[in-house]
């Protein structure tokens, strides 16, 4: 960003260990990787132009360990910047676990 802004991070799909994957050539739901989200949230935490973050969650859940890693990353980010959550059609299991890390849920 070139000026102060709010970041939006999409957490769409099943939560898995490792890197995120897209839905592929014919669409479909991809996977949300814990390493990808952890790295993204760390970058946002360190960027002085990012003044807050909105997490957009639409997930059926997935790996408990991956969800825990992402939850911890949200907690670290929240110590320095406001984190709000917007829920799509679903935030089950690990998706719900992530949403409780935010300051407010919409």
């Amino acid at each position: 960003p070139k000026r102060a802004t709010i970041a939006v991070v999409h957490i769409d799909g099943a939560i898995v260990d490792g890197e995120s994957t897209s839905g592929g050539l014919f669409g479909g739901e991809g996977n949300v990787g814990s390493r990808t989200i952890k790295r993204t949230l760390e970058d946002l935490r360190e960027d002085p132009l990012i003044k807050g973050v909105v997490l957009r969650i639409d997930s059926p859940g997935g790996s408990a360990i991956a969800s825990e890693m992402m939850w911890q990353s949200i907690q670290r980010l929240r110590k320095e910047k406001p984190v709000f959550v917007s829920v799509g059609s679903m935030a089950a299991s690990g998706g719900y676990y992530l949403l409780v890390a935010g300051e407010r849920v919409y």
Side-chain angles (χ1 to χ4, degrees):
K2 296 180 181 180
R3 62 177 200 247
T5 191
I6 303 295
V8 178
V9 177
H10 291 266
I11 300 175
D12 294 331
I15 297 170
V16 298
D17 296 315
E19 301 295 332
S20 296
T21 60
S22 66
L25 181 63
F26 298 106
E29 203 166 295
N31 293 320
V32 181
S34 58
R35 273 190 238 139
T36 303
I37 296 299
K38 181 180 177 182
R39 187 173 48 249
T40 300
L41 296 177
E42 183 66 22
D43 289 346
L44 295 174
R45 188 178 68 78
E46 294 174 355
D47 191 330
L49 293 176
I50 301 297
K51 301 302 181 184
V53 176
V54 174
L55 297 177
R56 175 68 174 168
I57 299 174
D58 192 356
S59 173
S63 165
I65 293 171
S67 298
E68 175 67 20
M69 287 179 60
M70 292 164 62
W71 183 87
Q72 289 178 11
S73 296
I74 296 166
Q75 291 297 313
R76 280 191 297 277
L77 174 62
R78 195 172 153 196
K79 288 180 182 177
E80 296 184 31
K81 300 178 183 192
V83 177
F84 297 98
V85 178
S86 169
V87 177
S89 62
M90 178 185 336
S93 185
Y96 186 84
Y97 187 50
L98 298 180
L99 80 82
V100 299
E103 294 181 37
R104 183 166 288 180
V105 179
Y106 296 94

